[in-house]
Amino acid sequence: MNVSAVDKSTGKTNKITITNDKGRLSKDEIERLVKDAEKYKAEDELVKKRVEAKNGLENYCYSIRNTLKDEKLKDKFQADEKTKIEKAVDDSIKWVESNPNAHAEEYEKK
């Protein structure tokens, strides 16, 4: 963009050109970024699947734990059943915490 200014009292004129080239990516840089994004897409999908499986298992465990604490349901479980379920939930939560980078299939099997 070309801009000019005139000082009315002296009649002096100045012109400048404003360009917006700073901070822009070149065409080659944009192409490289697109290629990198395509290259890592499959890896990103695996990470997403793993995180969703981990979160699903954790949510399931905490849901069961909260169900066992529900006063309305306390008479529905015998003491030995409740103990087995609590142990299984605790073991699963400990396993998740000690295996944060397990594969999605491992979380789904648990």
Side-chain angles (χ1 to χ4, degrees), residues 2 4 11 19 35 43 47 59-61 65 67 70 87 94 99 102 108:
N2 294 316
S4 60
T19 59
K35 285 180 185 176
E43 184 179 322
V47 170
N59 289 337
Y60 182 68
C61 289
R65 183 182 278 175
T67 300
D70 190 340
K87 182 177 179 347
K94 286 177 186 173
N99 295 285
E108 291 166 353

Side-chain angles (χ1 to χ4, degrees), residues 65-96:
R65 183 182 278 175
N66 290 334
T67 300
L68 291 174
K69 293 179 182 179
D70 190 340
E71 288 296 317
K72 297 175 193 171
L73 301 174
K74 71 177 184 177
D75 296 333
K76 301 286 182 183
F77 299 101
Q78 294 178 6
D80 63 327
E81 292 174 329
K82 189 174 178 181
T83 302
K84 286 180 185 177
I85 294 169
E86 288 173 341
K87 182 177 179 347
V89 167
D90 290 340
D91 289 347
S92 293
I93 291 172
K94 286 177 186 173
W95 183 87
V96 168

Side-chain angles (χ1 to χ4, degrees), residues 1-54:
M1 173 172 25
N2 294 316
V3 178
S4 60
V6 178
D7 184 346
K8 292 185 179 184
S9 62
T10 62
K12 186 175 178 181
T13 303
N14 276 329
K15 294 180 182 180
I16 62 169
T17 301
I18 300 172
T19 59
N20 193 10
D21 293 336
K22 287 189 176 181
R24 296 254 175 146
L25 296 174
S26 70
K27 194 171 192 167
D28 291 337
E29 290 172 318
I30 292 170
E31 288 177 18
R32 182 183 52 81
L33 290 172
V34 169
K35 285 180 185 176
D36 285 348
E38 290 171 357
K39 182 170 114 179
Y40 295 115
K41 182 179 180 180
E43 184 179 322
D44 290 345
E45 286 296 321
L46 288 175
V47 170
K48 178 183 175 189
K49 185 177 177 183
R50 181 182 57 80
V51 169
E52 287 174 348
K54 179 183 177 197

